[in-house]
Amino acid sequence: MCSSDLGEDQTEYRLLSTDGIEVVHLGGQQFLRVSEQALKDLTFAAMRDIQHRLRPGHLQQLRNILDDPQASPNDRFVALDLLRNANIAAGGVLPMCQDTGTAIVMGKRGQHVLTEGTDEMPLSKGVFDAYTRLNLRYSQNAPITMWEEKNTGSNLTAQIELYADTQPGHETTYKFLFMAKGGGSANKSYLFQETKAVLNEAAMMRFLDEKLRGLGTAACPPYHLAIVVGGTSAEFALKTAKYASAKYLDTLPTSGDMSAHGFRDVEMEEKVLKLTQEFGIGAQFGGKYFCHDVRVIRLPRHGASLPIAIAVSCSADRQCVAKITPEGAYIEQLETEPGQYLPDVVDEELDA
């Protein structure tokens, strides 16, 4: 699945800064010079924002539960508490979840982006600053021996993945996905090595009925659920599922062809969502809302191997995208006023 599969970026961004970013011309070509400080500041801002703010779409989905007459009292109770929690977190003091997660940074760097050295270093420094200066828990343990480990006291090491972006028009753009992945949702990432026998709708739905029930509620539903069928390797299937649960692959094509690109099966997504609504598990205590939504990605595969990966993003749906362009460093605009998604009057049924 390459970046050429992705459609136009519809994300709403806000300008963070223009400091440390400049256009230079070398050999008749335009390049973008990005300082280490700009990378560090962008990472700090992203990690701060995703600990305290959510995407408007996620908040609207919580409000939709309150407005759904088919939602159970338990569904509404959980949705209301999550909206209240979002309002507290938006104050920028207390994070939305006490498990502040593993810091994950994925970057795609254009061919004409110039930096001063090893990009992993300033990106890691940005993570370090966020976790040591804010009220964020340190979750990372350094292995001392095979059996002994010690908390690093900074939440490092971060998971940093950097790729070359060779797509035309992206030469002077550096794009990022920032995530904070808590242990609960990370623990609900699964890989199954199946065969072509499940590549029909009836068999696949039976398979998913069993495996998705097994997710349980330990990772704090309602979930953003991702299912990946296929993959040139098992590792790639799992990684794709993680990114799909973060809505990062929403602009994939919705059909396949002989070029063997990955695609979203939107019809299958609706069927799987309906399946989860019929489980009766609901938002932790019984009801309809085991999942907010579902993403189903179909990938090419080796004929003798059919990896199927499942991943979730939990109620602390912590991720944002960002980019550095000749115009400056931009970060996804997360919701700063979540109070607008709360009901005007909390009735007795919601408070019960």
Side-chain angles (χ1 to χ4, degrees):
M1 188 176 305
C2 62
S3 55
S4 62
D5 295 327
L6 302 178
E8 184 179 353
D9 188 356
Q10 299 294 324
T11 304
E12 180 181 351
Y13 291 93
R14 65 180 176 89
L15 176 65
L16 181 66
S17 176
T18 58
D19 294 342
I21 301 166
E22 64 173 332
V23 174
V24 296
H25 293 86
L26 301 170
Q29 292 186 304
Q30 180 174 291
F31 292 81
L32 184 67
R33 179 180 292 158
V34 179
S35 71
E36 289 189 345
Q37 188 67 44
L39 291 174
K40 185 174 77 168
D41 291 346
L42 178 62
T43 304
F44 174 85
M47 288 296 161
R48 178 197 61 208
D49 282 10
I50 63 178
Q51 297 288 351
H52 297 283
R53 298 173 181 174
L54 290 158
R55 287 170 166 161
H58 177 85
L59 292 164
Q60 184 61 58
Q61 287 175 313
L62 289 171
R63 178 55 193 262
N64 291 346
I65 296 175
L66 300 182
D67 295 335
D68 184 358
Q70 295 181 348
S72 72
N74 286 323
D75 287 332
R76 295 193 188 99
F77 173 82
V78 171
L80 181 60
D81 260 18
L82 290 172
L83 283 172
R84 287 169 169 165
N85 185 68
N87 277 268
I88 295 170
V93 177
L94 298 175
M96 69 183 70
C97 180
Q98 57 89 22
D99 181 354
T100 52
T102 296
I104 299 173
V105 183
M106 190 271 280
K108 293 183 177 181
R109 176 174 161 174
Q111 291 178 292
H112 290 183
V113 175
L114 306 177
T115 56
E116 299 171 16
T118 303
D119 293 358
E120 289 87 348
M121 185 61 70
L123 296 172
S124 292
K125 287 180 178 178
V127 171
F128 176 90
D129 286 350
Y131 278 84
T132 56
R133 289 166 52 185
L134 305 173
N135 295 318
L136 306 180
R137 192 179 80 179
Y138 311 144
S139 301
Q140 303 307 305
N141 294 320
I144 308 304
T145 70
M146 178 63 75
W147 320 120
E148 300 174 55
E149 55 188 14
K150 184 176 180 180
N151 193 292
T152 63
S154 64
N155 216 56
L156 294 179
T157 294
Q159 178 179 321
I160 299 177
E161 305 172 13
L162 300 179
Y163 303 93
D165 185 347
T166 60
Q167 295 305 304
H170 294 189
E171 290 84 358
T172 56
T173 300
Y174 205 157
K175 292 188 176 183
F176 296 93
L177 170 66
F178 294 96
M179 304 177 70
K181 197 68 172 173
S185 60
N187 291 346
K188 297 302 178 180
S189 299
Y190 294 104
L191 173 69
F192 305 94
Q193 293 285 23
E194 298 299 316
T195 69
K196 189 178 180 181
V198 298
L199 277 184
N200 63 81
E201 184 173 325
M204 181 63 71
M205 294 304 284
R206 288 194 299 269
F207 171 85
L208 294 175
D209 183 87
E210 174 190 351
K211 303 306 182 185
L212 296 180
R213 289 176 188 269
L215 290 173
T217 60
C220 302
Y223 299 130
H224 299 283
L225 171 66
I227 300 163
V228 174
V229 178
T232 48
S233 69
E235 298 83 358
F236 191 75
L238 272 173
K239 184 178 292 188
T240 302
K242 177 179 69 176
Y243 292 150
S245 72
K247 309 292 183 69
Y248 186 70
L249 303 177
D250 274 11
T251 51
L252 281 176
T254 55
S255 62
D257 57 40
M258 287 304 295
S259 67
H261 62 256
F263 66 90
R264 279 182 63 188
D265 189 329
V266 179
E267 182 180 350
M268 189 66 172
E269 290 174 358
E270 295 175 354
K271 292 177 180 179
V272 175
L273 180 60
K274 186 174 186 297
L275 175 70
T276 66
Q277 291 172 342
E278 294 172 351
F279 286 166
I281 298 173
Q284 302 181 31
F285 307 116
K288 174 182 176 183
Y289 283 94
F290 187 62
C291 297
H292 282 305
D293 49 43
V294 177
R295 295 294 181 268
V296 177
I297 308 293
R298 182 67 161 90
L299 297 180
R301 69 182 184 95
H302 185 286
S305 175
L306 179 61
I308 299 177
I310 295 173
V312 299
S313 183
C314 68
S315 295
D317 190 43
R318 294 172 297 194
Q319 58 260 328
C320 72
V321 293
K323 62 183 179 180
I324 300 175
T325 72
E327 288 72 39
Y330 293 84
I331 191 168
E332 182 177 355
Q333 180 63 64
L334 302 180
E335 183 57 68
T336 59
E337 299 293 338
Q340 64 184 293
Y341 297 93
L342 282 166
D344 293 332
V345 177
V346 179
D347 60 35
E348 293 179 359
E349 289 186 7
L350 290 177
D351 255 350

